[in-house]
């Protein structure tokens, strides 16, 4: 049975890497009739952040990568939260002590700091000096029974090369002299990641472990633990490190590491999924755009690359634009509404503040405006915006005149004409609009044609007759198509705005 898992720690906002790994896990499980498990690794209680678990579920729901087993979805291998499994870790840690593969360590922090300092001074990378490793076990046990503070450390075998295998990277050899006698049980009774991950992956019968490249250096410790327990190892794959275009880590400051940043920008989840599948993997037929179902059919862990892929935001924008353009107007409105609803009700989750000129209230206003339109106008709104934007956020500056006032820039309005000329022209347009009895788009389109003729009669360029109308209504020189916008805006507001 294929069983894959993702095991995030609830230590803050949802990192892009969690979605990235989960997507491969889920696809591989689906392809092989297996299961994808979500486990919450909260053994580091100091770093626990309230709300982080909810952010994990919300992000996975958003992209539609739903676990088959998890604390929320249940399953036969629970509990799926590590802090609810402390007795299990304790039992196995004691087993390791009993078999002589782990030992109690009583070194106080001050001593450990001194050892560290000495190492650093003498130019070695800091390592525990194994002070407690060879204490007679009976004595150590007595000290533990007497309540002395302690941790448990695993013994790293000395003088034996440790070879681990990664499905993509092949065999990797480690020199044991540079591996620390890792703490596996902390003094607070919590296991460290290293012990918990091995026990849980084994007991949850995980067949494939996909995880970030930062865990490669811990890999030999895990291999040793599997050997001590005499357990079969799952297949391991370490993903490549995703970098920005300059080869550096994804910027926390710019938000690129946070899933919520992409959601708030207004990228579609299907585009984000499609885009990240192509980081470290390529479609066998070289396709760029494909559905998740199609991806599932062709994906295999072994085809992942170990080479760091570059995260090209420009390409993501292009891809998202492609997805948007394929949407029907009905779907566009539906997704836009969902997005506005999300942004107007949910606070941003990232390493820093989200940079935007829009407040939660602004999103709400836009949502209310859309909801106030009848179906025909709402679909027209979709129609006139759909081809112009790469992501929903681009739509906001183009359409803000629908919901808020602006200070009219007279110079921009008048440009190379005189104030009188423009004023006269706008009065004429107003008069024509007043004459329209049935506020229907074809009638406005007729006015558009009349204006083109009028340009010829006045000896103005065509653009020059439209420019002041646009600026007085929109407040800028860019907007969705003018007469459609005027139609959506309504007669009353249009007349109100057509002034100098
Ligand atoms: N809890 C670890 C993390 O958040 C998981 C590592 C693993 O997948 O084994 O990075």
């Amino acid at each position: 049975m294929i069983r894959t898992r993702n095991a995030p720690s609830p230590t803050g906002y949802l990192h892009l890497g969690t979605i990235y790994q989960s997507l491969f896990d889920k696809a591989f499980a689906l392809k092989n009739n297996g299961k994808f498990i979500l486990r919450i690794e909260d053994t580091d209680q100091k770093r626990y952040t309230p709300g982080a678990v909810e952010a994990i579920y919300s992000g996975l729901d958003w992209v539609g990568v739903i676990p088959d087993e998890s604390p929320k979805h249940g399953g036969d291998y629970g509990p799926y939260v590590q802090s609810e499994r402390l007795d299990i870790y304790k039992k196995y840690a004691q087993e390791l002590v009993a078999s002589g593969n782990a030992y109690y360590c009583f070194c106080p922090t001050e001593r450990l700091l001194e050892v560290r300092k000495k190492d650093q001074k003498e130019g070695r990378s800091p390592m525990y000096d194994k002070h407690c490793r060879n204490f007679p076990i009976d004595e150590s046990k007595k000290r533990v029974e007497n309540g002395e503070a302690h941790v448990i450390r695993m013994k790293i075998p000395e003088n034996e090369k440790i070879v681990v295998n990664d499905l993509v990277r092949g065999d990797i050899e480690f020199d044991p002299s540079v591996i620390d006698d890792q703490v596996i049980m902390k003094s607070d009774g919590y296991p460290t990641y290293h012990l918990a991950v091995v026990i849980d992956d084994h007991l949850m019968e995980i067949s494939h472990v996909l995880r970030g490249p930062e865990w490669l250096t811990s890999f030999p410790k895990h291999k040793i633990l599997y050997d001590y327990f005499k357990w079969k190892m799952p297949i391991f794959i370490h993903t490549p490190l995703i970098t920005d275009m300059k080869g550096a880590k994804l910027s926390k400051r710019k938000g690129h590491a946070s899933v919520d940043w992409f959601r708030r920008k207004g990228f579609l989840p299907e585009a984000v999924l499609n885009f990240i599948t192509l980081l470290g993997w390529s479609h066998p037929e070289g396709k760029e755009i494909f559905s998740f179902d199609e991806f599932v059919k062709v994906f295999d862990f072994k085809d992942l690359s170990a080479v760091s892929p570059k995260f090209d935001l420009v390409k993501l924008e292009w891809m998202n634009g492609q997805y948007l353009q394929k949407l029907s107007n009905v779907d566009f409105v539906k997704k836009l509404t969902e997005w506005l609803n999300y942004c107007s009700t949910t606070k941003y989750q990232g390493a820093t503040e989200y940079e935007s000129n829009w407040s939660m209230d602004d999103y709400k206003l836009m949502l209310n405006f859309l909801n106030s339109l009848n179906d025909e106008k709402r679909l027209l709104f979709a129609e006139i915006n759909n081809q112009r934007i790469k992501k929903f956020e681009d739509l906001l500056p183009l359409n803000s005149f629908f919901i808020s006032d602006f200070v009219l820039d007279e110079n921009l309005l008048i440009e190379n004409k005189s104030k009188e000329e423009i004023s006269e022209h706008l009065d004429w347009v107003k008069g024509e609009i007043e004459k329209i009895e049935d506020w229907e788009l074809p009638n406005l389109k007729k006015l558009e044609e009349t204006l083109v003729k009028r340009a010829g009669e006045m000896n103005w360029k065509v653009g020059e007759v439209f420019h002041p109308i646009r600026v007085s209504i929109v407040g800028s020189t860019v907007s969705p198509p003018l007469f459609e916008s005027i139609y959506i805006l309504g007669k009353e507001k249009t007349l109100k705005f057509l002034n100098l």
Side-chain angles (χ1 to χ4, degrees), residues 133-168:
R133 178 161 162 148
N134 294 317
F135 284 175
I137 182 70
D138 291 343
E139 265 175 41
S140 293
K141 267 195 180 151
K142 254 187 222 134
R143 290 172 71 175
V144 169
E145 276 157 24
N146 288 338
E148 197 171 327
H150 64 278
V151 299
I152 299 179
R153 290 178 184 272
M154 64 184 285
K155 284 186 186 168
I156 300 295
E158 284 160 333
N159 313 318
E160 239 177 76
K161 282 223 176 316
I162 304 153
V163 183
V164 289
N165 183 272
D166 175 290
L167 185 67
V168 170

mmCIF file of all heavy atoms in Angstrom, residues 133-168:
data_model
loop_
_atom_site.group_PDB
_atom_site.id
_atom_site.type_symbol
_atom_site.label_atom_id
_atom_site.label_comp_id
_atom_site.label_asym_id
_atom_site.label_seq_id
_atom_site.Cartn_x
_atom_site.Cartn_y
_atom_site.Cartn_z
ATOM 1 N N ARG A 133 27.865 9.393 27.903
ATOM 2 C CA ARG A 133 27.589 8.213 27.054
ATOM 3 C C ARG A 133 27.957 6.891 27.731
ATOM 4 O O ARG A 133 27.261 5.894 27.567
ATOM 5 C CB ARG A 133 28.347 8.366 25.732
ATOM 6 C CG ARG A 133 28.180 7.187 24.781
ATOM 7 C CD ARG A 133 28.539 7.596 23.359
ATOM 8 N NE ARG A 133 28.810 6.468 22.488
ATOM 9 C CZ ARG A 133 28.549 6.443 21.189
ATOM 10 N NH1 ARG A 133 27.999 7.485 20.600
ATOM 11 N NH2 ARG A 133 28.843 5.408 20.458
ATOM 12 N N ASN A 134 29.034 6.908 28.498
ATOM 13 C CA ASN A 134 29.456 5.621 29.042
ATOM 14 C C ASN A 134 29.234 5.471 30.542
ATOM 15 O O ASN A 134 29.850 4.633 31.190
ATOM 16 C CB ASN A 134 30.923 5.370 28.672
ATOM 17 C CG ASN A 134 31.052 5.206 27.171
ATOM 18 O OD1 ASN A 134 30.224 4.512 26.545
ATOM 19 N ND2 ASN A 134 32.019 5.881 26.568
ATOM 20 N N PHE A 135 28.326 6.270 31.085
ATOM 21 C CA PHE A 135 27.990 6.080 32.505
ATOM 22 C C PHE A 135 27.345 4.700 32.672
ATOM 23 O O PHE A 135 26.556 4.282 31.809
ATOM 24 C CB PHE A 135 26.959 7.123 32.961
ATOM 25 C CG PHE A 135 27.503 8.509 33.181
ATOM 26 C CD1 PHE A 135 26.637 9.563 33.502
ATOM 27 C CD2 PHE A 135 28.874 8.785 33.089
ATOM 28 C CE1 PHE A 135 27.114 10.856 33.707
ATOM 29 C CE2 PHE A 135 29.352 10.069 33.282
ATOM 30 C CZ PHE A 135 28.476 11.101 33.584
ATOM 31 N N PRO A 136 27.635 4.015 33.778
ATOM 32 C CA PRO A 136 26.965 2.717 33.993
ATOM 33 C C PRO A 136 25.443 2.926 34.051
ATOM 34 O O PRO A 136 24.978 3.845 34.728
ATOM 35 C CB PRO A 136 27.497 2.254 35.349
ATOM 36 C CG PRO A 136 28.711 3.077 35.606
ATOM 37 C CD PRO A 136 28.578 4.350 34.835
ATOM 38 N N ILE A 137 24.726 2.100 33.359
ATOM 39 C CA ILE A 137 23.278 2.295 33.191
ATOM 40 C C ILE A 137 22.518 2.282 34.530
ATOM 41 O O ILE A 137 21.592 3.061 34.732
ATOM 42 C CB ILE A 137 22.689 1.288 32.166
ATOM 43 C CG1 ILE A 137 21.193 1.509 31.958
ATOM 44 C CG2 ILE A 137 22.971 -0.150 32.520
ATOM 45 C CD1 ILE A 137 20.842 2.759 31.245
ATOM 46 N N ASP A 138 22.983 1.402 35.465
ATOM 47 C CA ASP A 138 22.255 1.331 36.752
ATOM 48 C C ASP A 138 22.326 2.654 37.497
ATOM 49 O O ASP A 138 21.342 3.132 38.051
ATOM 50 C CB ASP A 138 22.847 0.219 37.630
ATOM 51 C CG ASP A 138 22.530 -1.138 37.017
ATOM 52 O OD1 ASP A 138 21.619 -1.170 36.150
ATOM 53 O OD2 ASP A 138 23.202 -2.128 37.371
ATOM 54 N N GLU A 139 23.535 3.249 37.456
ATOM 55 C CA GLU A 139 23.704 4.548 38.142
ATOM 56 C C GLU A 139 22.812 5.607 37.512
ATOM 57 O O GLU A 139 22.122 6.363 38.200
ATOM 58 C CB GLU A 139 25.159 5.022 38.006
ATOM 59 C CG GLU A 139 26.021 4.652 39.160
ATOM 60 C CD GLU A 139 27.470 5.056 38.906
ATOM 61 O OE1 GLU A 139 27.703 6.160 38.367
ATOM 62 O OE2 GLU A 139 28.350 4.217 39.212
ATOM 63 N N SER A 140 22.825 5.644 36.160
ATOM 64 C CA SER A 140 22.012 6.641 35.453
ATOM 65 C C SER A 140 20.544 6.461 35.791
ATOM 66 O O SER A 140 19.820 7.427 36.026
ATOM 67 C CB SER A 140 22.204 6.507 33.946
ATOM 68 O OG SER A 140 23.508 6.873 33.616
ATOM 69 N N LYS A 141 20.099 5.228 35.814
ATOM 70 C CA LYS A 141 18.687 4.944 36.102
ATOM 71 C C LYS A 141 18.308 5.488 37.475
ATOM 72 O O LYS A 141 17.231 6.056 37.653
ATOM 73 C CB LYS A 141 18.442 3.443 36.057
ATOM 74 C CG LYS A 141 17.978 2.987 34.700
ATOM 75 C CD LYS A 141 17.406 1.598 34.786
ATOM 76 C CE LYS A 141 16.942 1.124 33.433
ATOM 77 N NZ LYS A 141 17.031 -0.327 33.301
ATOM 78 N N LYS A 142 19.223 5.249 38.455
ATOM 79 C CA LYS A 142 18.939 5.731 39.812
ATOM 80 C C LYS A 142 18.776 7.243 39.820
ATOM 81 O O LYS A 142 17.874 7.789 40.432
ATOM 82 C CB LYS A 142 20.090 5.327 40.749
ATOM 83 C CG LYS A 142 19.650 4.181 41.640
ATOM 84 C CD LYS A 142 20.668 3.848 42.696
ATOM 85 C CE LYS A 142 20.764 2.333 42.805
ATOM 86 N NZ LYS A 142 22.138 1.828 42.850
ATOM 87 N N ARG A 143 19.667 7.925 39.089
ATOM 88 C CA ARG A 143 19.597 9.392 39.048
ATOM 89 C C ARG A 143 18.263 9.839 38.446
ATOM 90 O O ARG A 143 17.645 10.795 38.903
ATOM 91 C CB ARG A 143 20.768 9.953 38.233
ATOM 92 C CG ARG A 143 22.097 9.783 38.954
ATOM 93 C CD ARG A 143 23.271 10.153 38.072
ATOM 94 N NE ARG A 143 23.364 11.590 37.829
ATOM 95 C CZ ARG A 143 24.380 12.151 37.161
ATOM 96 N NH1 ARG A 143 25.367 11.394 36.688
ATOM 97 N NH2 ARG A 143 24.401 13.449 36.969
ATOM 98 N N VAL A 144 17.818 9.119 37.422
ATOM 99 C CA VAL A 144 16.537 9.445 36.778
ATOM 100 C C VAL A 144 15.400 9.231 37.783
ATOM 101 O O VAL A 144 14.516 10.084 37.955
ATOM 102 C CB VAL A 144 16.317 8.587 35.516
ATOM 103 C CG1 VAL A 144 14.893 8.723 35.000
ATOM 104 C CG2 VAL A 144 17.310 8.979 34.439
ATOM 105 N N GLU A 145 15.476 8.069 38.501
ATOM 106 C CA GLU A 145 14.419 7.771 39.487
ATOM 107 C C GLU A 145 14.382 8.815 40.589
ATOM 108 O O GLU A 145 13.329 9.146 41.122
ATOM 109 C CB GLU A 145 14.631 6.378 40.089
ATOM 110 C CG GLU A 145 14.031 5.288 39.201
ATOM 111 C CD GLU A 145 14.680 3.924 39.437
ATOM 112 O OE1 GLU A 145 15.237 3.698 40.533
ATOM 113 O OE2 GLU A 145 14.646 3.097 38.488
ATOM 114 N N ASN A 146 15.564 9.378 40.899
ATOM 115 C CA ASN A 146 15.606 10.410 41.948
ATOM 116 C C ASN A 146 15.148 11.773 41.454
ATOM 117 O O ASN A 146 15.259 12.772 42.151
ATOM 118 C CB ASN A 146 17.033 10.544 42.504
ATOM 119 C CG ASN A 146 17.382 9.341 43.360
ATOM 120 O OD1 ASN A 146 16.469 8.659 43.854
ATOM 121 N ND2 ASN A 146 18.663 9.062 43.502
ATOM 122 N N GLY A 147 14.700 11.802 40.227
ATOM 123 C CA GLY A 147 14.118 13.047 39.701
ATOM 124 C C GLY A 147 15.128 14.025 39.124
ATOM 125 O O GLY A 147 14.812 15.205 38.935
ATOM 126 N N GLU A 148 16.345 13.579 38.836
ATOM 127 C CA GLU A 148 17.343 14.502 38.281
ATOM 128 C C GLU A 148 16.984 14.857 36.821
ATOM 129 O O GLU A 148 16.586 13.975 36.049
ATOM 130 C CB GLU A 148 18.726 13.836 38.329
ATOM 131 C CG GLU A 148 19.843 14.842 38.159
ATOM 132 C CD GLU A 148 21.219 14.236 38.425
ATOM 133 O OE1 GLU A 148 21.331 13.326 39.292
ATOM 134 O OE2 GLU A 148 22.166 14.638 37.764
ATOM 135 N N ALA A 149 17.131 16.147 36.500
ATOM 136 C CA ALA A 149 16.792 16.583 35.124
ATOM 137 C C ALA A 149 17.708 15.896 34.120
ATOM 138 O O ALA A 149 18.916 15.767 34.337
ATOM 139 C CB ALA A 149 16.945 18.088 35.018
ATOM 140 N N HIS A 150 17.126 15.450 33.024
ATOM 141 C CA HIS A 150 17.935 14.723 32.038
ATOM 142 C C HIS A 150 17.282 14.760 30.661
ATOM 143 O O HIS A 150 16.105 15.090 30.535
ATOM 144 C CB HIS A 150 18.079 13.252 32.460
ATOM 145 C CG HIS A 150 16.756 12.536 32.462
ATOM 146 N ND1 HIS A 150 15.868 12.616 33.527
ATOM 147 C CD2 HIS A 150 16.138 11.776 31.525
ATOM 148 C CE1 HIS A 150 14.782 11.925 33.245
ATOM 149 N NE2 HIS A 150 14.911 11.404 32.025
ATOM 150 N N VAL A 151 18.070 14.416 29.669
ATOM 151 C CA VAL A 151 17.528 14.174 28.330
ATOM 152 C C VAL A 151 17.965 12.760 27.932
ATOM 153 O O VAL A 151 18.738 12.129 28.660
ATOM 154 C CB VAL A 151 18.074 15.190 27.287
ATOM 155 C CG1 VAL A 151 17.688 16.607 27.645
ATOM 156 C CG2 VAL A 151 19.589 15.059 27.120
ATOM 157 N N ILE A 152 17.456 12.279 26.815
ATOM 158 C CA ILE A 152 17.980 11.005 26.290
ATOM 159 C C ILE A 152 18.639 11.291 24.942
ATOM 160 O O ILE A 152 18.064 12.016 24.112
ATOM 161 C CB ILE A 152 16.853 9.947 26.130
ATOM 162 C CG1 ILE A 152 16.208 9.662 27.487
ATOM 163 C CG2 ILE A 152 17.392 8.670 25.493
ATOM 164 C CD1 ILE A 152 15.062 8.637 27.440
ATOM 165 N N ARG A 153 19.834 10.768 24.777
ATOM 166 C CA ARG A 153 20.549 10.938 23.504
ATOM 167 C C ARG A 153 20.719 9.597 22.816
ATOM 168 O O ARG A 153 20.904 8.569 23.481
ATOM 169 C CB ARG A 153 21.954 11.519 23.739
ATOM 170 C CG ARG A 153 21.963 12.953 24.198
ATOM 171 C CD ARG A 153 23.401 13.413 24.450
ATOM 172 N NE ARG A 153 23.422 14.759 24.975
ATOM 173 C CZ ARG A 153 23.447 15.858 24.211
ATOM 174 N NH1 ARG A 153 23.490 15.764 22.902
ATOM 175 N NH2 ARG A 153 23.462 17.047 24.777
ATOM 176 N N MET A 154 20.686 9.613 21.491
ATOM 177 C CA MET A 154 20.950 8.367 20.757
ATOM 178 C C MET A 154 22.467 8.242 20.564
ATOM 179 O O MET A 154 23.178 9.245 20.508
ATOM 180 C CB MET A 154 20.257 8.370 19.392
ATOM 181 C CG MET A 154 20.759 9.437 18.443
ATOM 182 S SD MET A 154 19.826 9.469 16.874
ATOM 183 C CE MET A 154 20.483 8.020 16.058
ATOM 184 N N LYS A 155 22.909 6.997 20.503
ATOM 185 C CA LYS A 155 24.343 6.792 20.266
ATOM 186 C C LYS A 155 24.601 6.743 18.764
ATOM 187 O O LYS A 155 23.940 5.978 18.054
ATOM 188 C CB LYS A 155 24.791 5.459 20.877
ATOM 189 C CG LYS A 155 24.935 5.493 22.368
ATOM 190 C CD LYS A 155 25.512 4.174 22.868
ATOM 191 C CE LYS A 155 25.529 4.161 24.390
ATOM 192 N NZ LYS A 155 25.804 2.805 24.916
ATOM 193 N N ILE A 156 25.524 7.545 18.312
ATOM 194 C CA ILE A 156 25.920 7.441 16.907
ATOM 195 C C ILE A 156 27.075 6.432 16.867
ATOM 196 O O ILE A 156 28.078 6.609 17.579
ATOM 197 C CB ILE A 156 26.373 8.817 16.366
ATOM 198 C CG1 ILE A 156 25.243 9.849 16.455
ATOM 199 C CG2 ILE A 156 26.900 8.689 14.932
ATOM 200 C CD1 ILE A 156 24.020 9.586 15.604
ATOM 201 N N PRO A 157 26.932 5.359 16.097
ATOM 202 C CA PRO A 157 28.009 4.361 16.063
ATOM 203 C C PRO A 157 29.325 5.017 15.633
ATOM 204 O O PRO A 157 29.310 5.878 14.745
ATOM 205 C CB PRO A 157 27.533 3.364 15.011
ATOM 206 C CG PRO A 157 26.135 3.695 14.698
ATOM 207 C CD PRO A 157 25.877 5.090 15.135
ATOM 208 N N GLU A 158 30.398 4.627 16.273
ATOM 209 C CA GLU A 158 31.680 5.252 15.930
ATOM 210 C C GLU A 158 32.386 4.437 14.849
ATOM 211 O O GLU A 158 32.201 3.223 14.763
ATOM 212 C CB GLU A 158 32.540 5.382 17.196
ATOM 213 C CG GLU A 158 32.030 6.529 18.062
ATOM 214 C CD GLU A 158 32.461 6.454 19.523
ATOM 215 O OE1 GLU A 158 32.694 5.329 20.014
ATOM 216 O OE2 GLU A 158 32.540 7.514 20.163
ATOM 217 N N ASN A 159 33.152 5.105 14.031
ATOM 218 C CA ASN A 159 33.999 4.454 13.005
ATOM 219 C C ASN A 159 33.252 3.638 11.958
ATOM 220 O O ASN A 159 33.791 2.682 11.431
ATOM 221 C CB ASN A 159 35.032 3.516 13.667
ATOM 222 C CG ASN A 159 35.720 4.195 14.812
ATOM 223 O OD1 ASN A 159 36.073 5.375 14.707
ATOM 224 N ND2 ASN A 159 35.873 3.478 15.916
ATOM 225 N N GLU A 160 32.021 3.952 11.717
ATOM 226 C CA GLU A 160 31.285 3.198 10.692
ATOM 227 C C GLU A 160 30.667 4.202 9.730
ATOM 228 O O GLU A 160 29.900 5.052 10.170
ATOM 229 C CB GLU A 160 30.105 2.499 11.380
ATOM 230 C CG GLU A 160 30.044 1.013 11.281
ATOM 231 C CD GLU A 160 28.836 0.528 12.092
ATOM 232 O OE1 GLU A 160 27.715 0.680 11.606
ATOM 233 O OE2 GLU A 160 29.049 0.030 13.237
ATOM 234 N N LYS A 161 31.009 4.106 8.486
ATOM 235 C CA LYS A 161 30.397 5.041 7.525
ATOM 236 C C LYS A 161 28.887 4.792 7.478
ATOM 237 O O LYS A 161 28.445 3.649 7.545
ATOM 238 C CB LYS A 161 30.972 4.809 6.134
ATOM 239 C CG LYS A 161 32.333 5.421 5.955
ATOM 240 C CD LYS A 161 32.430 6.110 4.608
ATOM 241 C CE LYS A 161 33.732 6.831 4.389
ATOM 242 N NZ LYS A 161 34.237 7.616 5.491
ATOM 243 N N ILE A 162 28.140 5.845 7.367
ATOM 244 C CA ILE A 162 26.681 5.672 7.290
ATOM 245 C C ILE A 162 26.231 6.028 5.883
ATOM 246 O O ILE A 162 26.514 7.122 5.389
ATOM 247 C CB ILE A 162 25.970 6.561 8.319
ATOM 248 C CG1 ILE A 162 26.516 6.231 9.714
ATOM 249 C CG2 ILE A 162 24.461 6.368 8.293
ATOM 250 C CD1 ILE A 162 26.425 7.357 10.671
ATOM 251 N N VAL A 163 25.564 5.066 5.245
ATOM 252 C CA VAL A 163 25.123 5.299 3.869
ATOM 253 C C VAL A 163 23.595 5.342 3.839
ATOM 254 O O VAL A 163 22.920 4.446 4.332
ATOM 255 C CB VAL A 163 25.625 4.175 2.929
ATOM 256 C CG1 VAL A 163 25.223 4.479 1.487
ATOM 257 C CG2 VAL A 163 27.127 4.015 3.053
ATOM 258 N N VAL A 164 23.073 6.430 3.292
ATOM 259 C CA VAL A 164 21.621 6.545 3.164
ATOM 260 C C VAL A 164 21.269 6.613 1.683
ATOM 261 O O VAL A 164 22.111 6.958 0.851
ATOM 262 C CB VAL A 164 21.093 7.818 3.875
ATOM 263 C CG1 VAL A 164 21.183 7.678 5.372
ATOM 264 C CG2 VAL A 164 21.817 9.057 3.391
ATOM 265 N N ASN A 165 20.025 6.279 1.391
ATOM 266 C CA ASN A 165 19.627 6.320 -0.016
ATOM 267 C C ASN A 165 18.427 7.233 -0.218
ATOM 268 O O ASN A 165 17.424 7.134 0.480
ATOM 269 C CB ASN A 165 19.302 4.909 -0.515
ATOM 270 C CG ASN A 165 18.955 4.939 -1.983
ATOM 271 O OD1 ASN A 165 17.797 5.131 -2.352
ATOM 272 N ND2 ASN A 165 19.963 4.797 -2.840
ATOM 273 N N ASP A 166 18.574 8.102 -1.188
ATOM 274 C CA ASP A 166 17.473 8.987 -1.586
ATOM 275 C C ASP A 166 17.109 8.585 -3.020
ATOM 276 O O ASP A 166 17.990 8.389 -3.859
ATOM 277 C CB ASP A 166 17.975 10.436 -1.522
ATOM 278 C CG ASP A 166 16.961 11.453 -2.032
ATOM 279 O OD1 ASP A 166 16.709 11.468 -3.256
ATOM 280 O OD2 ASP A 166 16.447 12.231 -1.227
ATOM 281 N N LEU A 167 15.820 8.440 -3.252
ATOM 282 C CA LEU A 167 15.363 7.932 -4.552
ATOM 283 C C LEU A 167 15.894 8.766 -5.721
ATOM 284 O O LEU A 167 16.210 8.235 -6.784
ATOM 285 C CB LEU A 167 13.829 7.925 -4.584
ATOM 286 C CG LEU A 167 13.175 7.324 -5.816
ATOM 287 C CD1 LEU A 167 13.426 5.828 -5.902
ATOM 288 C CD2 LEU A 167 11.665 7.592 -5.814
ATOM 289 N N VAL A 168 16.018 10.059 -5.495
ATOM 290 C CA VAL A 168 16.445 10.946 -6.582
ATOM 291 C C VAL A 168 17.953 11.180 -6.556
ATOM 292 O O VAL A 168 18.619 11.225 -7.583
ATOM 293 C CB VAL A 168 15.690 12.293 -6.467
ATOM 294 C CG1 VAL A 168 16.267 13.331 -7.410
ATOM 295 C CG2 VAL A 168 14.204 12.083 -6.737
#
